[in-house]
């Protein structure tokens, strides 16, 4: 089977539109894997290789969350518009509009993992399984660990970051260069970075509204509306089989993932030894094997 989409389109979401891509047959009878991307404010592109699961029968849906990619762009909306509830409602709307709300699995990566966990905690009837990949259980935990990782960077790098963050000059070339040192160690260890992740980064660069409003100027300097957000209060309510994925060098460190393992009743954790934040790109063959094994047990 080709990884070419079997369908593309948009669904109405209030007065806006959500773009989606289908690989495989949504009516196959198997639960549909829905890929919830990170950011917030990124796009589906860097998760495209999940479409290869359609080769073994699992239909896959990618979508771009509102604000970026093929979905409605709203660059004039303020921070008060971009809420967790907005993106939860968009996900519910997509599932219903595609007719898959009665039989689906969520794969949430990074911010998408937290969003998927929050969705799953409401015990939706059609959810069959949950994969939380490279996601923290809370942003306060994340920020604590970012401090640890930053202090382990080569001498002088964190000092550059701190100086520009204090001055509000995080768009400077010097800050970006120092930021790249962190990213190459804890976001993606491949050189050069794969085309798919570069496509998503380009989308964020061209329209940073959502990322900057909710997150901030970088992965490790979270000063947006999510800085205090957590799912610690609800993840014990997740009732479906769950898989945790993280990388040995992940910016989502074990301390940020541990609460999922401690609190979700039916869960297992796979750590990818040669990966950072993107095991699906850094160790793609093992990643697909782990995903296929998990999905097989859901069938």
């Amino acid at each position: 089977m080709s990884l070419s989409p079997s369908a593309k389109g948009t669904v109405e979401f209030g007065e806006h539109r959500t773009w989606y891509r289908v690989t495989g047959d949504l009516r196959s009878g198997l639960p549909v894997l829905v890929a919830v991307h990170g950011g917030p404010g990124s796009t589906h592109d860097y998760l495209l290789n999940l479409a290869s699961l359609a080769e073994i029968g699992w239909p896959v849906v990618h979508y771009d969350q509102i604000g970026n990619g093929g979905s409605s762009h709203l660059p004039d909306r303020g921070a008060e518009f971009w809420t967790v509830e907005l993106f939860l409602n968009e996900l519910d709307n997509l599932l219903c509009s595609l007719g898959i709300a009665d039989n689906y699995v969520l794969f949430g990566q990074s911010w998408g993992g937290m969003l998927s966990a929050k969705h799953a905690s409401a015990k939706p009837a059609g959810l069959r399984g949950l994969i939380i990949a490279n996601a923290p259980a809370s942003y306060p935990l994340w920020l604590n660990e970012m401090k640890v990782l930053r202090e382990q960077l080569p001498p002088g790098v964190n000092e550059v970051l701190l100086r520009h963050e204090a001055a509000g000059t995080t768009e400077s070339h010097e800050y970006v260069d120092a930021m790249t040192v962190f990213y190459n160690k804890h976001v993606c260890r491949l050189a050069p970075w794969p085309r798919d992740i570069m496509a998503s980064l380009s989308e964020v660069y061209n329209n940073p509204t959502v990322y900057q409003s909710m997150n901030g100027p970088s992965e490790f300097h979270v000063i947006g509306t999510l800085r205090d957000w957590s799912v610690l209060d609800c993840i014990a309510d997740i009732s479906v089989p769950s898989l945790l994925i993280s990388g040995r060098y992940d910016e989502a460190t074990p301390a940020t993932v541990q609460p999922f393992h401690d609190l979700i009743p039916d869960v297992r954790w796979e750590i990818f030894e040669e990966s950072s934040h993107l095991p699906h790109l850094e160790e793609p063959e093992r990643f697909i094997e782990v995903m296929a094994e998990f999905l097989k047990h859901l069938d």
Side-chain angles (χ1 to χ4, degrees):
M1 177 185 293
S2 168
L3 299 186
S4 299
S6 48
K8 285 184 180 180
T10 61
V11 299
E12 291 185 3
F13 174 47
E15 59 187 32
H16 313 301
R17 303 197 72 85
T18 300
W19 179 93
Y20 69 89
R21 177 192 198 275
V22 178
T23 312
D25 181 8
L26 295 184
R27 306 291 170 249
S28 69
L30 289 174
V32 178
L33 181 73
V34 179
V36 185
H37 66 70
S42 186
T43 61
H44 77 286
D45 300 87
Y46 78 100
L47 295 177
L48 265 177
N49 71 345
L50 270 71
S52 62
L53 290 163
E55 295 178 331
I56 53 175
W58 296 89
V60 179
V61 169
H62 290 85
Y63 75 104
D64 287 336
Q65 294 163 23
I66 185 173
N68 285 81
S71 297
S72 297
H73 287 215
L74 303 165
D76 298 327
R77 296 298 177 102
E80 70 283 351
F81 178 79
W82 305 105
T83 64
V84 172
E85 289 71 26
L86 173 74
F87 292 100
L88 288 170
N89 291 339
E90 180 185 35
L91 176 56
D92 288 341
N93 181 74
L94 177 74
L95 296 170
C96 291
S97 298
L98 295 181
I100 59 175
D102 60 344
N103 193 27
Y104 66 101
V105 176
L106 285 188
F107 174 92
Q109 201 275 336
S110 198
W111 137 263
M114 293 184 73
L115 190 71
S116 297
K118 183 69 173 177
H119 172 94
S121 72
K123 301 182 186 295
L127 182 64
R128 304 292 177 237
L130 174 67
I131 303 103
I132 300 172
N134 319 101
S138 88
Y139 276 94
L141 267 179
W142 174 271
L143 286 170
N144 287 342
E145 290 297 290
M146 290 302 103
K147 185 175 185 296
V148 173
L149 294 179
R150 287 170 59 142
E151 290 173 348
Q152 294 172 354
L153 293 173
V157 175
N158 196 32
E159 286 73 14
V160 171
L161 296 171
L162 289 168
R163 186 174 74 249
H164 285 287
E165 288 163 3
T169 52
T170 54
E171 294 183 1
S172 71
H173 290 300
E174 189 179 35
Y175 185 84
V176 171
D177 288 345
M179 182 177 73
T180 302
V181 175
F182 180 98
Y183 280 33
N184 286 337
K185 187 174 182 181
H186 297 298
V187 177
C188 183
R189 300 173 75 237
L190 300 175
W193 281 18
R195 180 181 62 183
D196 289 351
I197 184 63
M198 296 306 295
S200 285
L201 288 174
S202 176
E203 292 278 358
V204 178
Y205 178 82
N206 290 330
N207 186 2
T209 303
V210 182
Y211 187 78
Q212 291 185 355
S213 295
M214 298 185 77
N215 190 83
S218 70
E219 293 291 278
F220 46 77
H221 188 46
V222 181
I223 56 175
T225 56
L226 290 178
R227 61 187 177 274
D228 297 318
W229 187 52
S230 169
V231 292
L232 290 172
D233 62 339
C234 66
I235 52 180
D237 296 327
I238 295 173
S239 58
V240 294
S242 300
L243 171 66
L244 302 176
I245 288 174
S246 64
R248 179 60 64 193
Y249 306 95
D250 206 329
E251 58 181 347
T253 65
T256 71
V257 179
Q258 189 69 45
F260 290 122
H261 190 258
D262 293 343
L263 295 171
I264 297 175
D266 182 0
V267 66
R268 67 182 181 89
W269 188 355
E270 289 282 343
I271 296 177
F272 286 71
E273 295 295 336
E274 302 301 323
S275 295
S276 54
H277 198 52
L278 304 171
H280 65 284
L281 295 176
E282 295 169 278
E283 296 181 66
E285 291 182 3
R286 179 168 177 245
F287 173 82
I288 293 299
E289 288 175 2
V290 169
M291 287 287 292
E293 179 186 1
F294 176 74
L295 293 170
K296 179 179 66 176
H297 287 295
L298 296 180
D299 182 18

